[in-house]
Amino acid sequence: MTDASHSPDSPAPERPTAIHLNAADNVAVALQPLAAGTKAQGVTLAADIPLGHKFAVAAIAAGQPVVKYGQIMAAATAAIAPGEHVHSHNAAMSDSHSDRAAQTGQHREPPLRRSFMGYARDGGRVGTRNFIGIMASVNCSSTVCHAIARAAERELLPRFPGIDGFAPIVHDQGCGMAGSGEGFDTLVRVLKGYRDHPNFGGVLIVGLGCEVNQLTLYKRDDWTRERFGVFNIQEVGGSGSAVRRALELLEPICEAANRDRRSEQPVSGLVLGMQCGGSDGFSGITANPALGVASDLLVAAGGTSILSETPEIFGAEHLLIARSDPATAAKIRGMIDWWCDYAERNGASLDNNPSPGNKRGGLTTILEKSLGAVAKAGQAPVAGAFAYAERITTPGLVYMDSPGYDPVSATGQVAAGANLIAFTTGRGSCFGAKPAPSIKLASNGELFRRMPEDMDINCGVVVDDGVSLEEMGQRIYDLLLDTASGRKSRSEEFGYGDHEFVPWKIGATL
């Protein structure tokens, strides 16, 4: 890292050209594009090394481990000399995963800032937004739900300024599927999680009428017409009539939600969903470990952080298991076993990652990607493990099973109770997750400068300016609390979130 302490009259120290992350590593990472012949980390480069890519700092024999973060991330498929580019042309998935350097969980001192301005909801939950949800029970009512949301934004929102907006929660399921079993149960669990979400001041659920996923599953005895409504399109005269009927039902819902006001709430009311997408060689060096520091601060203040994306912790699960109690460890192992079997049954491999964009950014194997992804979890003990979209009932750092596909994973986290999303990216993922605000953390300064309309914070200053991970984590923590208190994220300013609700589809389409 650069040394920020120098006198104003002395020249700024040179920015390092590469970083060696752990004494056990036999590779280093280029912090800028490096030309063949350049000397870096004690070796002379034998080839051009792109930004974020790796080069060997010691000889690696064919079949021997490639080590990064102090962990095995690949095996050499050919002999690699010091200074050579290390990537998919000479390194591949390792048959053995390292379990060394696994540490037990560590508690952090609580931060000074331990409150935010949120919406107190029934049952002690806290909202960070005050949306009205327009939920479809089935794909057949999705277009009508979008029409209802547009009409409500036009006709009702100007009259009720205390509402953040109308969020259409639509999907492609609900019929053409078995009415029982894992796939159906997952869909119902997701929709109930959104129905009860604290970021909704009220909810209207719209069905067609003849679908498998009937509205009777979603009625709540403790919800009055002031907060909750349901109806089927087939019962009100058709699509146009459904929009008019919805506006009638939304009137008292809006009146109730418009009375809601922000008040000071403890950080224990925050549930953070952590995501990473479009990762690069810097994700595991800057944005992910900095988010891990912020997660530790949130947990120390009594809040909850959710780590997910099981296929993208594969190979690094031992780092979480070492920080878990026996029951939680067994659940995480069971999730990994399920995914290995699931991939094999479908003729796939958990090493179908990294994606082409990940590889262009410097990531070589899923093990390398997983080691960087787990850094989001910081150092806190793992307090529990939950099924996809299962209501989170344990404060602290928890694990929720999900695919690695970001919209599906984030949908499950929000259904589980996440009222805030932090999304790290190195390539430039664009995403929103209504009703939960989503902040984007750029792993490198070049991305932050190239996509300023989508990135909320630049974690690239960790390598560009020598900002410590502790300081970067504090900045992220403060931004999370500011966002929870009402500050709009970049994705909210653009309008993301109306099309990113994607429940995990499990089982046969009939």
Side-chain angles (χ1 to χ4, degrees):
M1 302 297 174
T2 53
D3 181 4
S5 58
H6 60 277
S7 70
D9 296 329
S10 63
E14 290 186 14
R15 177 184 168 187
T17 58
I19 185 170
H20 190 228
L21 295 167
N22 187 287
D25 292 358
N26 52 18
V27 295
V29 179
L31 298 179
Q32 59 192 60
L34 300 176
T38 302
K39 290 204 71 171
Q41 294 294 322
V43 300
T44 300
L45 302 181
D48 294 344
I49 310 297
L51 173 73
H53 283 240
K54 300 173 294 296
F55 59 90
V57 295
I60 308 172
Q64 291 302 301
V66 177
V67 181
K68 182 182 178 185
Y69 305 115
Q71 303 284 321
I72 296 173
M73 54 141 285
T77 56
I80 304 173
E84 285 192 22
H85 186 199
V86 179
H87 201 30
S88 50
H89 63 287
N90 58 10
M93 182 78 165
S94 174
D95 291 332
S96 63
H97 305 163
S98 174
D99 60 0
R100 62 183 172 180
Q103 297 180 341
T104 57
Q106 301 174 12
H107 293 280
R108 178 183 289 269
E109 286 296 317
L112 294 176
R113 187 178 176 188
R114 280 178 263 178
S115 66
F116 70 103
M117 299 300 291
Y119 295 95
R121 304 296 192 195
D122 291 342
R125 302 175 84 189
V126 182
T128 63
R129 294 294 183 268
N130 193 32
F131 280 103
I132 304 294
I134 312 296
M135 295 176 54
S137 68
V138 64
N139 173 256
C140 308
S141 60
S142 292
T143 297
V144 166
C145 284
H146 274 297
I148 292 168
R150 289 194 301 270
E153 293 271 351
R154 183 177 60 249
E155 299 183 26
L156 296 177
L157 192 58
R159 295 170 46 207
F160 300 105
I163 297 170
D164 287 311
F166 297 83
I169 305 299
V170 303
H171 53 96
D172 66 352
Q173 299 185 52
C175 210
M177 64 190 303
S180 61
E182 189 175 19
F184 185 75
D185 292 344
T186 298
L187 176 63
V188 172
R189 190 163 65 243
V190 169
L191 290 175
K192 285 185 175 179
Y194 273 70
R195 177 199 65 184
D196 300 337
H197 200 278
N199 284 9
F200 282 137
V203 171
L204 177 66
I205 308 180
V206 181
L208 179 62
C210 55
E211 62 268 22
V212 172
N213 188 33
Q214 287 285 300
L215 289 182
T216 51
L217 291 166
Y218 301 99
K219 291 184 177 180
R220 281 179 40 168
D221 293 337
D222 60 331
W223 277 44
T224 68
R225 187 169 177 266
E226 284 191 336
R227 294 282 182 177
F228 183 61
V230 297
F231 73 90
N232 286 314
I233 298 169
Q234 292 171 348
E235 298 168 355
V236 298
S239 300
S241 296
V243 175
R244 291 187 288 274
R245 176 58 176 155
L247 293 178
E248 294 173 357
L249 291 174
L250 285 171
E251 185 87 22
I253 294 173
C254 289
E255 289 177 354
N258 194 57
R259 293 193 294 268
D260 297 338
R261 294 290 183 270
R262 291 186 182 273
S263 59
E264 187 170 4
Q265 299 294 325
V267 168
S268 58
L270 284 181
V271 182
L272 174 68
M274 297 185 292
Q275 291 287 316
C276 58
S279 301
D280 71 347
F282 289 111
S283 293
I285 300 171
T286 61
N288 287 355
L291 178 55
V293 172
S295 173
D296 285 345
L297 291 169
L298 182 69
V299 167
T304 303
S305 289
I306 310 172
L307 183 70
S308 298
E309 301 179 289
T310 309
E312 295 187 5
I313 68 158
F314 179 64
E317 65 272 13
H318 62 283
L319 300 175
L320 298 175
I321 288 171
R323 294 153 55 184
S324 305
D325 62 71
T328 299
K331 287 182 179 180
I332 294 174
R333 287 192 190 97
M335 292 170 185
I336 294 290
D337 291 343
W338 185 93
W339 275 98
C340 289
D341 177 68
Y342 179 67
E344 184 178 357
R345 281 188 282 114
N346 287 278
S349 166
L350 289 184
D351 195 31
N352 70 336
N353 253 309
S355 69
N358 296 150
K359 290 182 178 180
R360 286 193 295 272
L363 296 176
T364 302
T365 67
I366 186 59
L367 300 182
E368 180 182 11
K369 186 176 182 181
S370 295
L371 290 166
V374 166
K376 298 194 302 293
Q379 300 296 323
V382 182
F386 295 82
Y388 179 80
E390 182 181 0
R391 174 83 169 266
I392 303 297
T393 56
T394 303
L397 172 67
V398 300
Y399 191 81
M400 186 201 80
D401 188 26
S402 84
Y405 184 43
D406 306 317
V408 176
S409 181
T411 293
Q413 290 180 333
V414 175
N419 50 17
L420 194 61
I421 298 288
F423 194 126
T424 67
T425 182
R427 303 296 293 175
S429 294
C430 300
F431 182 75
K434 284 182 181 177
S438 174
I439 66 167
K440 306 301 285 295
L441 288 67
S443 72
N444 62 85
E446 191 276 331
L447 167 63
F448 188 79
R449 290 184 290 273
R450 176 164 43 88
M451 296 182 66
E453 298 170 348
D454 294 278
M455 300 298 118
D456 293 278
I457 194 165
N458 178 17
C459 297
V461 296
V462 169
V463 294
D464 292 341
D465 302 331
V467 174
S468 71
L469 289 173
E470 287 290 319
E471 170 62 23
M472 196 71 242
Q474 183 66 55
R475 294 181 190 181
I476 295 169
Y477 176 78
D478 287 335
L479 178 59
L480 289 171
L481 267 58
D482 290 345
T483 304
S485 299
R487 172 176 170 170
K488 281 194 173 184
S489 67
R490 295 293 194 187
S491 65
E492 289 181 292
E493 289 174 348
F494 185 79
Y496 277 106
D498 288 346
H499 304 279
E500 287 78 11
F501 175 78
V502 187
W504 188 5
K505 187 183 292 186
I506 305 174
T509 300
L510 304 177

